[in-house]
Amino acid sequence: MDYKKTNAASSTVTRNMNEMSKEVGNVYESVMIMAKRSNQIAVELKSELNKKLQEFASYTDNLEEVFENREQIEISKYYERLPKPTLIAVEEFINGEIYYRNPSKEQKSED
């Protein structure tokens, strides 16, 4: 997913947890679904950022050659301005864009 085009809020918004947990039926399970998705998003964003910053990596040990790279700073600032992974995960959950399953519930229904 392209996280740069998400409609997630860039700051914290108060949510009604009862409304958010209706689909799953359990507040804690809803929170865990969003937390796991948030971790996935954070890992994806971090790897993407590291790939872009790797282009600027310098493998010399000479301290005199350390310099400020404007492009590197702009890339870092851009990623800092993106909505946090938690807010993106909440927005995806509300919009029904997250696939989740509970193996323990599936096991009970088979018995």
Side-chain angles (χ1 to χ4, degrees):
M1 178 178 182
D2 191 11
Y3 302 112
K4 296 155 193 92
K5 296 179 182 175
T6 184
N7 292 332
S10 58
S11 63
T12 307
V13 177
T14 305
R15 309 275 185 187
N16 184 347
M17 287 306 297
N18 292 328
E19 288 292 320
M20 292 178 70
S21 64
K22 277 185 180 177
E23 185 178 333
V24 178
N26 186 336
V27 173
Y28 304 107
E29 192 171 346
S30 300
V31 169
M32 282 307 301
I33 291 167
M34 290 181 273
K36 288 182 180 187
R37 179 62 183 140
S38 175
N39 288 338
Q40 290 173 344
I41 293 169
V43 168
E44 288 177 30
L45 286 174
K46 184 171 180 165
S47 67
E48 185 179 312
L49 175 61
N50 285 338
K51 270 191 235 176
K52 289 184 179 184
L53 293 179
Q54 192 69 27
E55 298 171 9
F56 302 105
S58 175
Y59 297 105
T60 59
D61 291 336
N62 190 352
L63 293 177
E64 294 172 6
E65 292 183 13
V66 175
F67 59 94
E68 188 176 292
N69 190 332
R70 195 81 183 132
E71 290 178 39
Q72 185 177 3
I73 292 170
E74 290 301 318
I75 290 171
S76 297
K77 283 183 179 180
Y78 175 76
Y79 276 89
E80 286 176 7
R81 280 187 234 115
L82 286 176
K84 303 297 179 230
T86 311
L87 296 171
I88 296 172
V90 169
E91 190 68 27
E92 287 180 356
F93 186 79
I94 290 172
N95 295 335
E97 299 171 358
I98 298 177
Y99 170 77
Y100 59 89
R101 62 187 188 89
N102 187 337
S104 62
K105 284 185 180 178
E106 292 173 6
Q107 186 113 21
K108 288 179 184 176
S109 65
E110 290 176 3
D111 292 338

